[in-house]
Amino acid sequence: MIGYTLNQNKKSKAWTGRVKRAALIMVLATACMPWSTGVQAAAAQEDIRVVIFADLGSKYKATVPAVTLKSSGSLSVGQNSGGSYQAWMGLPDSTARFSVDSYRVKVLEGNEAAAIKAAQALQKTNDKPTVFIGSKNGSSVYQVYAGIYASEQSAQAAVQRISSVTGTQAEVKGNKHWSTGSYGTEQEANLVRTTIAAAGFDAFTVIQSRGQYAVWVGEESNDSKLSALKTELESKQPKLTLSKVNQTGLIIRQEAGVTTGSQVMSHYMLSGSDKSKVIVSGGNNGIQVVERSQRTYRGDMEISMTSGQLALVNEVPLEQYLYSVVGAEVYSSWPAEALKAQAVAARSYALAQGNRFQIGNVVDGTLSQAYNGKSSEHANVNEAVDATAGEVIKNGGTVVEAVFSSNAGGVTADASEVWNSGGEAFASVDSSGDTSAQKGAQEWYHVLLSNGKTGYIREDNAKELEGVTEAGLDKITVTAENTNVRPIPQIQSTVTPIAKVQPGEEMIVLEKVPQSGDYAWVRGPFTAAEIAKSLQGKITGTVPSSINHLDVTKRGPSGRVLEVEADGAPLKVKYPDMYRSAMGGLPSTLFDIASTGSYTVLGADGATSHVSGTQGTQILSASGTSTSSGNGVVVMNEDRHARVIDKTQSFIFTGKGNGHGLGLSQWGANGLAEQGYDYKKILQHYYKNVDIVKD
């Protein structure tokens, strides 16, 4: 859970879903901005609702045109009625595709070869295709669609680009239909549908509830087109009794495997209002969501439509949800007390959310808590969750929104350093256990090469040489041919090494540093242009046209950055934690900045000045004063940390910690558990003025 915001108390609706018991209390709940008005949470309940796909505007957006659901057992689809699940039908082959009956573009209707050609062309675009197999005029036909689109206007805008890509005459389709009535069996409905399709109309069998079927005709995008369809239907099928569809139904179609890589499978389109929903149940076997990295989830899947898009919500027992969350957030090999601390924090956080995401309590990513389904479960984690079942963190009788981060870098953040304000459960505290993240990690030499370039070599690839430079700096060489010199002290397979060096080549050691990881890290070098690009949309003012100097000018209680200036002008952000993303995606705001093209001189009068590498450097020696070339000059501070100044200006960030640093530090908890602390003491160290209680 890397970046969160906290809210103050406010009453709201109780959680929806199959709730066995719910006692409402006031909590600190999250929003996407700093410490704003929140919602009331349920103190205890059986299920939690996890949003996987939905378009919720600025709160959350992850959309797909359709989802493929699978189970190793059996799948059924139905609805919740009176607090219990009622199955409408079993799903054949334990696999099905689901979408919603919104606006889409019909690309073409023709033979298989034409359908494959059009679908393959669209697969490379954002207008993803779906291919259905149906019957019309007595023959089989392939129908290619693109979308789902939130409005008729956005679908119409897609028509031109789709037609251009496929060379077809595409048209907008929608969710307006005529119904021919209800039928007691699917077979009876299919007979009627076949008759209408044989006359050249699009007709679909629909399940409306258990044992109730219908036939819907047409898929029009507006009332004008729907009215024109009725006139045509009545002229060719005068015996039909037509009524406008205004209820929930599942349109049953057959999808070809052109885009899914599978054989023909059943495809169900949910039609109705934004309140319409169906439940897919997989029993105890779980449900795999192919479009979510093929993850398998416990509980049921709810399908609905939000903002004209498919919404998929996993409704799962809270404790089973925590099996996955704790397993995804921390290592299952950690001590049991660290796992228990994480379980209680994660449970408290989840219960504090209320209906933050409208159709769900949390989402399945780190905007809430990492949730990977059954793949991240482990016996050790499950035992820790079970051992703390129902336990939450409370402050003054209120469940604490127990935010946490990976590593606090040795000291946790004060709330003022993250989202400007906070509550009495949060304060900056020592987190020396964070160093446990460095166990077994190699150290790296920061070296100066003979060509003036600098980089990093891992200690096990280096050999120290006798003697030192005139400045007292050590020298090394490497032990193997073509040893990589890395831009940061970390192996990055996708980043080109700065150089390759050979045994016997001498390099000057500027310093020795830990391997970049969760505790200590180095990022960069970033050019001024790269920094300016990253600042776009992150700061409240104008992005500087050029940046010569970057300086940290204010820090908070823990030492985290509160203000950065570019050439003496503050780079203002909405809240301090935004400096992480503003500066190119830094792990934390507990950082320092060094430039490769300048250094700062502290004068005798206490004033500071920047000296650029392009100016050259004044050197005082026994033979007098001279000016260096300004390229490849080594400067050293009072702590004997050396770095190289050249004529190219870029910025290097060195820091500690990973995440916002507020509340529990996961690596810190691991360190305390290794020292013998139990989970309650760990939690009461990281959250102040709290009780750990079973609710």
Side-chain angles (χ1 to χ4, degrees):
M1 187 167 84
I2 303 301
Y4 300 98
T5 54
L6 304 173
N7 301 346
Q8 294 173 342
N9 303 332
K10 183 179 177 183
K11 292 184 178 179
S12 181
K13 296 178 181 178
W15 287 10
T16 55
R18 291 178 293 162
V19 180
K20 287 293 178 72
R21 61 189 182 97
L24 298 180
I25 58 174
M26 300 291 283
V27 297
L28 298 171
T30 52
C32 290
M33 295 301 294
W35 292 94
S36 58
T37 306
V39 293
Q40 187 176 6
Q45 74 166 46
E46 184 187 62
D47 288 351
I48 187 169
R49 294 171 57 81
V50 187
V51 181
I52 297 176
F53 293 116
D55 182 355
L56 303 177
S58 60
K59 284 190 174 181
Y60 180 75
K61 188 170 184 178
T63 59
V64 289
V67 291
T68 310
L69 304 183
K70 296 183 177 182
S71 176
S72 59
S74 60
L75 287 176
S76 66
V77 62
Q79 283 186 325
N80 282 336
S81 179
S84 62
Y85 172 69
Q86 182 183 58
W88 288 0
M89 61 185 294
L91 301 180
D93 303 322
S94 298
T95 299
R97 293 267 286 169
F98 288 87
S99 63
V100 293
D101 188 21
S102 187
Y103 296 99
R104 52 200 176 275
V105 173
K106 190 172 186 179
V107 181
L108 67 78
E109 185 173 277
N111 59 37
E112 182 179 12
I116 291 174
K117 182 179 179 181
Q120 288 178 339
L122 288 173
Q123 194 76 299
K124 303 172 185 177
T125 72
N126 291 327
D127 300 294
K128 298 302 182 186
T130 303
V131 182
F132 293 116
I133 302 175
S135 63
K136 219 169 184 182
N137 299 312
S139 302
S140 294
V141 64
Y142 285 78
Q143 298 172 320
V144 182
Y145 292 82
I148 301 293
Y149 304 97
S151 67
E152 184 177 8
Q153 290 75 19
S154 58
Q156 189 61 55
V159 166
Q160 184 174 353
R161 62 176 182 263
I162 289 170
S163 296
S164 176
V165 169
T166 62
T168 62
Q169 188 57 51
E171 59 179 328
V172 177
K173 292 296 182 180
N175 57 1
K176 295 182 179 293
H177 317 276
W178 293 109
S179 174
T180 65
S182 297
Y183 308 93
T185 65
E186 185 176 359
Q187 292 74 18
E188 187 180 358
N190 283 340
L191 287 173
V192 176
R193 175 184 56 79
T194 302
T195 300
I196 298 171
F201 296 97
D202 289 308
F204 316 101
T205 298
V206 180
I207 181 170
Q208 296 176 320
S209 63
R210 185 180 182 90
Q212 185 182 55
Y213 294 83
V215 174
W216 292 356
V217 187
E219 46 180 352
E220 307 307 322
S221 59
N222 56 54
D223 287 332
S224 176
K225 291 181 179 180
L226 188 65
S227 179
L229 174 63
K230 183 178 182 183
T231 300
E232 187 180 1
L233 275 167
E234 290 176 338
S235 68
K236 294 183 179 181
Q237 300 276 307
K239 293 184 179 181
L240 291 177
T241 300
L242 301 174
S243 60
K244 189 181 288 187
V245 172
N246 60 2
Q247 67 184 99
T248 299
L250 273 178
I251 301 172
I252 304 172
R253 304 190 74 165
Q254 294 297 309
E255 183 176 349
V258 173
T259 58
T260 61
S262 305
Q263 299 297 316
V264 174
M265 69 176 69
S266 298
H267 186 123
Y268 301 92
M269 297 175 63
L270 174 66
S271 184
S273 68
D274 279 359
K275 295 182 179 179
S276 299
K277 59 187 69 175
V278 292
I279 305 294
V280 179
S281 175
N284 295 323
N285 295 288
I287 299 174
Q288 183 187 83
V289 182
V290 173
E291 290 72 19
R292 204 52 151 184
S293 304
Q294 300 187 0
R295 294 171 181 162
T296 297
Y297 299 88
R298 294 175 181 264
D300 298 332
M301 293 293 170
E302 178 189 276
I303 295 166
S304 63
M305 182 164 61
T306 303
S307 301
Q309 297 285 345
L310 169 71
L312 184 69
V313 175
N314 180 207
E315 192 170 30
V316 59
L318 174 61
E319 300 299 316
Q320 293 180 14
Y321 162 77
L322 293 173
Y323 292 163
S324 174
V325 167
V326 177
E329 287 285 358
V330 296
Y331 294 100
S332 60
S333 59
W334 280 4
E337 297 306 304
L339 300 181
K340 291 176 186 177
Q342 180 65 56
V344 176
R347 184 182 295 110
S348 302
Y349 176 85
L351 285 170
Q353 299 312 295
N355 291 322
R356 177 187 173 188
F357 293 98
Q358 301 165 341
I359 60 172
N361 313 116
V362 294
V363 298
D364 70 339
T366 54
L367 182 60
S368 294
Q369 304 182 106
Y371 176 58
N372 300 330
K374 296 177 73 173
S375 64
S376 58
E377 293 183 12
H378 188 278
N380 293 348
V381 170
N382 295 5
E383 288 177 12
V385 173
D386 292 342
T388 62
E391 290 187 21
V392 294
I393 306 167
K394 281 191 171 184
N395 171 265
T398 297
V399 177
V400 172
E401 186 188 19
V403 295
F404 50 84
S405 64
S406 175
N407 192 301
V411 57
T412 68
D414 184 83
S416 64
E417 299 172 301
V418 183
W419 300 301
N420 291 324
S421 59
E424 60 180 19
F426 299 94
S428 178
V429 300
D430 172 78
S431 189
S432 55
D434 289 323
T435 56
S436 63
Q438 290 193 128
K439 276 188 179 178
Q442 298 276 359
E443 288 197 312
W444 292 62
Y445 290 102
H446 187 197
V447 297
L448 171 63
L449 307 180
S450 59
N451 61 5
K453 293 182 178 181
T454 64
Y456 294 86
I457 294 175
R458 203 170 64 188
E459 64 179 346
D460 59 338
N461 293 322
K463 180 176 70 173
E464 293 187 3
L465 299 174
E466 292 184 4
V468 295
T469 68
E470 292 181 1
L473 298 175
D474 293 327
K475 296 179 290 184
I476 64 166
T477 189
V478 293
T479 57
E481 293 185 359
N482 296 317
T483 297
N484 290 320
V485 182
R486 303 283 182 180
I488 67 172
Q490 183 182 60
I491 295 175
Q492 299 170 292
S493 58
T494 59
V495 178
T496 303
I498 288 172
K500 291 181 180 292
V501 293
Q502 309 301 329
E505 290 186 44
E506 289 190 4
M507 290 157 283
I508 297 172
V509 178
L510 301 173
E511 60 180 334
K512 197 172 184 181
V513 299
Q515 179 166 295
S516 279
D518 282 322
Y519 178 70
W521 50 266
V522 178
R523 292 293 185 273
F526 301 123
T527 65
E530 288 172 329
I531 293 291
K533 183 178 179 180
S534 183
L535 291 174
Q536 294 285 350
K538 312 287 176 47
I539 61 174
T540 57
T542 303
V543 174
S545 57
S546 64
I547 301 175
N548 296 309
H549 309 293
L550 277 179
D551 299 288
V552 175
T553 49
K554 289 183 183 178
R555 295 186 184 272
S558 74
R560 283 169 169 79
V561 172
L562 295 181
E563 183 182 81
V564 175
E565 288 186 356
D567 299 336
L571 298 173
K572 295 183 178 180
V573 292
K574 291 182 179 178
Y575 46 90
D577 196 57
M578 281 195 71
Y579 278 122
R580 284 199 286 156
S581 58
M583 296 296 164
L586 302 179
S588 79
T589 57
L590 194 58
F591 63 77
D592 293 306
I593 307 172
S595 63
T596 62
S598 65
Y599 59 96
T600 304
V601 176
L602 177 63
D605 59 355
T608 59
S609 61
H610 291 287
V611 179
S612 170
T614 59
Q615 299 172 234
T617 303
Q618 294 295 313
I619 300 174
L620 180 64
S621 66
S623 58
T625 301
S626 62
T627 302
S628 76
S629 65
N631 195 41
V633 174
V634 178
V635 297
M636 186 181 298
N637 67 10
E638 61 182 359
D639 297 322
R640 297 190 61 78
H641 290 158
R643 61 188 179 92
V644 174
I645 306 301
D646 58 33
K647 293 181 180 180
T648 303
Q649 180 68 302
S650 57
F651 303 97
I652 297 173
F653 295 81
T654 58
K656 291 182 178 178
N658 186 4
H660 52 65
L662 193 62
L664 176 78
S665 169
Q666 293 167 324
W667 275 104
N670 173 64
L672 290 178
E674 289 178 341
Q675 295 173 38
Y677 288 84
D678 69 27
Y679 73 99
K680 291 186 177 181
K681 284 186 170 60
I682 293 171
L683 291 169
Q684 288 171 330
H685 172 75
Y686 283 107
Y687 304 102
K688 311 313 292 181
N689 308 307
V690 298
D691 297 307
I692 316 301
V693 299
K694 190 162 187 172
D695 234 11

